[in-house]
Amino acid sequence: MLLGRVAGTLVASRKEGSMEGLKLLVVRHLDVENEESGGFVVAADAVGAGVDEVVLVATGSSARQTERTRDRPCDAVVMAIVDTWEVGGAEKYHK
Amino acid sequence: MLLGRVAGTLVASRKEGSMEGLKLLVVRHLDVENEESGGFVVAADAVGAGVDEVVLVATGSSARQTERTRDRPCDAVVMAIVDTWEVGGAEKYHK
Amino acid sequence: MLLGRVAGTLVASRKEGSMEGLKLLVVRHLDVENEESGGFVVAADAVGAGVDEVVLVATGSSARQTERTRDRPCDAVVMAIVDTWEVGGAEKYHK
Amino acid sequence: MLLGRVAGTLVASRKEGSMEGLKLLVVRHLDVENEESGGFVVAADAVGAGVDEVVLVATGSSARQTERTRDRPCDAVVMAIVDTWEVGGAEKYHK
Amino acid sequence: MLLGRVAGTLVASRKEGSMEGLKLLVVRHLDVENEESGGFVVAADAVGAGVDEVVLVATGSSARQTERTRDRPCDAVVMAIVDTWEVGGAEKYHK
């Protein structure tokens, strides 16, 4: 999964019908030091994530394995809100 | 999903039979600031997008989860036309 | 889909049985200006493409959605031969 | 599969229900010389890997082909702990 | 498919049960000129490839479309041994 921070939201009123009702988030990628690493993805929200929250994004067909995204043309989904992670024994982020 | 702007169209008369009737678009990637970021993709159109519109593109198997692309050898689909997005509280694009 | 030019052919006599009979092409990536962009892929041919033709390549599971590639360990397929495309109102390629 | 070293762990209490009970690992990519190559991925653990162990990570839909990850929105899984590898006749790593 | 040369082997005794019996190969990427291009992948062997042989690697869900890899958490498989390829009318490799 990709690690990212919710940077904002995106609205698209004209879309494939099955995408109705999905909230779309702009998620900036984070590195293991909790710094933005330059990239981003537009992902559907499966967990009620808010702006500035640190999240995990699943991509590809795995992005359709949530209740909200099943069988939809969605290739990226926020499927978890991160509480904390540590690397090399040091905590890099705490919600 | 990828964020992009429809830059043009592509015609291919000789193709796998199941691709008949699909409109093919050349979509340039956009970054979160609404600037072109260098890459592009050729995507099938599932929503009637026109040149210069800002769109979302789903890739991989998710590109086959629309009525027009199901079971076709299509790995990228325009599945939404973007109205607006905001990042860091600032609107970056408005249709 | 990726845009590319067929640069050559590849022969592999020892292979997974289901790959028998598939023609394999070396396809160089093209950018929107019809210039080679450096990368390449080895793809199965589903449309009878010849050397120097400009083609579309579908990758991933979508590469198995043609009659010739179904259920085979094939992750890239030439599924269309390009006639023309235009970007910004200018024709960039014509067969 | 990707080669990596388990660098740490990640906790996410609010997540898609099907992700409950999965341990999440921060895995740094390794090159063939057993040096970190800069990237990382957050992967579910299917084999009980511990911090500092060298592992293989399967991504995409293949990440759902383990008992612990089936049908879950998981696109990366640690599915093996590496004992040793050799390249060019030289052993590059031994557990 | 990716073009590569088998550079070595990898052993992992603790792994997801379904991976038992699969031989794992370290495959370095090749460019169209038959030069190593820097990357590599760890792939399961479906065709009995040996060290130094030039091979094709299928990735993603297509890596599970061989008898040896079906339904396993395997995202890369050596599914062909290359005899020869030519580009621009010049043979770049002959076994």
Side-chain angles (χ1 to χ4, degrees):
Chain A
M1 278 68 68
L2 297 170
L3 193 58
R5 180 174 286 113
V6 181
T9 56
L10 181 147
V11 177
S13 51
R14 192 158 129 216
K15 56 194 164 191
E16 173 79 7
S18 64
M19 293 298 287
E20 287 295 332
L22 274 181
K23 186 176 171 187
L24 297 171
L25 301 173
V26 178
V27 180
R28 288 187 190 271
H29 297 170
L30 294 173
D31 64 20
V32 294
E33 301 299 330
N34 192 21
E35 300 291 335
E36 293 183 0
S37 53
F40 78 104
V41 67
V42 177
D45 178 24
V47 291
V51 171
D52 284 339
E53 285 194 294
V54 174
V55 297
L56 291 180
V57 177
T59 60
S61 60
S62 297
R64 303 196 307 271
Q65 304 293 318
T66 77
E67 291 183 25
R68 297 190 196 182
T69 56
R70 202 165 307 275
D71 300 328
R72 300 185 184 196
C74 169
D75 64 7
V77 69
V78 172
M79 32 58 79
I81 298 173
V82 175
D83 295 319
T84 182
W85 78 82
E86 62 168 51
V87 166
E91 190 177 74
K92 298 297 182 178
Y93 169 79
H94 197 99
K95 192 178 175 179
Chain B
M1 278 68 69
L2 297 169
L3 193 59
R5 180 173 286 114
V6 180
T9 56
L10 182 146
V11 177
S13 51
R14 193 158 128 215
K15 55 194 164 191
E16 173 78 7
S18 64
M19 293 297 286
E20 288 295 333
L22 274 180
K23 186 177 172 188
L24 297 170
L25 301 174
V26 178
V27 180
R28 287 188 190 272
H29 298 171
L30 293 173
D31 64 21
V32 294
E33 301 299 330
N34 192 22
E35 301 291 334
E36 294 183 1
S37 54
F40 78 104
V41 67
V42 178
D45 178 24
V47 291
V51 170
D52 284 338
E53 285 193 294
V54 175
V55 297
L56 291 180
V57 177
T59 61
S61 60
S62 297
R64 303 196 307 272
Q65 305 292 317
T66 77
E67 290 183 26
R68 298 191 196 182
T69 56
R70 202 166 307 275
D71 301 328
R72 301 184 183 197
C74 169
D75 64 6
V77 70
V78 172
M79 31 58 80
I81 298 174
V82 175
D83 294 319
T84 182
W85 78 84
E86 62 168 50
V87 165
E91 190 178 73
K92 298 296 182 178
Y93 169 78
H94 197 98
K95 192 179 176 178
Chain C
M1 278 69 68
L2 297 169
L3 193 58
R5 180 174 286 116
V6 180
T9 55
L10 181 147
V11 177
S13 50
R14 193 158 128 213
K15 56 195 163 192
E16 174 78 6
S18 65
M19 292 297 286
E20 288 294 334
L22 274 181
K23 186 176 172 188
L24 297 172
L25 301 173
V26 178
V27 180
R28 288 188 190 271
H29 297 171
L30 293 173
D31 64 20
V32 293
E33 301 299 330
N34 191 21
E35 301 292 333
E36 294 183 2
S37 54
F40 78 104
V41 67
V42 178
D45 177 25
V47 291
V51 170
D52 284 337
E53 284 193 293
V54 174
V55 297
L56 291 180
V57 177
T59 60
S61 59
S62 297
R64 303 196 308 271
Q65 305 292 317
T66 77
E67 290 183 27
R68 299 189 195 182
T69 56
R70 203 166 306 276
D71 300 328
R72 301 184 182 196
C74 168
D75 64 6
V77 70
V78 172
M79 31 58 80
I81 297 174
V82 175
D83 294 319
T84 182
W85 79 83
E86 62 168 49
V87 165
E91 190 177 74
K92 298 296 181 179
Y93 169 79
H94 197 99
K95 192 179 176 178
Chain D
M1 277 69 67
L2 297 171
L3 193 57
R5 179 174 286 113
V6 180
T9 56
L10 181 147
V11 177
S13 50
R14 193 158 129 214
K15 57 194 164 192
E16 173 78 6
S18 65
M19 292 297 287
E20 287 295 333
L22 274 181
K23 186 176 171 187
L24 297 172
L25 301 173
V26 179
V27 180
R28 286 187 190 272
H29 297 171
L30 293 173
D31 64 21
V32 294
E33 302 299 329
N34 192 22
E35 300 292 333
E36 294 182 359
S37 54
F40 78 104
V41 66
V42 178
D45 177 25
V47 290
V51 171
D52 285 338
E53 285 193 295
V54 174
V55 297
L56 291 180
V57 177
T59 59
S61 60
S62 297
R64 302 197 306 272
Q65 305 292 317
T66 77
E67 290 183 26
R68 298 190 195 181
T69 56
R70 203 166 307 275
D71 300 328
R72 301 183 184 199
C74 169
D75 64 7
V77 69
V78 173
M79 33 57 81
I81 298 174
V82 176
D83 294 320
T84 182
W85 78 84
E86 62 168 50
V87 165
E91 190 177 74
K92 297 297 183 178
Y93 169 79
H94 197 99
K95 192 179 175 179
Chain E
M1 278 69 68
L2 297 170
L3 193 58
R5 179 174 287 115
V6 180
T9 55
L10 181 147
V11 177
S13 50
R14 194 159 128 212
K15 56 194 163 193
E16 173 77 7
S18 65
M19 292 297 286
E20 287 295 333
L22 273 182
K23 186 176 171 188
L24 296 172
L25 301 173
V26 178
V27 180
R28 287 187 190 273
H29 297 170
L30 293 173
D31 63 21
V32 293
E33 302 299 330
N34 192 21
E35 301 291 333
E36 293 183 1
S37 54
F40 78 104
V41 66
V42 178
D45 177 24
V47 291
V51 171
D52 284 338
E53 284 194 294
V54 174
V55 297
L56 291 180
V57 177
T59 60
S61 59
S62 297
R64 302 197 307 272
Q65 304 292 318
T66 77
E67 291 183 26
R68 298 190 195 181
T69 56
R70 203 165 307 274
D71 300 328
R72 301 184 184 198
C74 169
D75 64 6
V77 70
V78 172
M79 32 58 81
I81 297 174
V82 175
D83 294 320
T84 182
W85 78 84
E86 63 168 49
V87 165
E91 190 178 72
K92 298 297 183 178
Y93 169 79
H94 197 99
K95 192 178 175 178

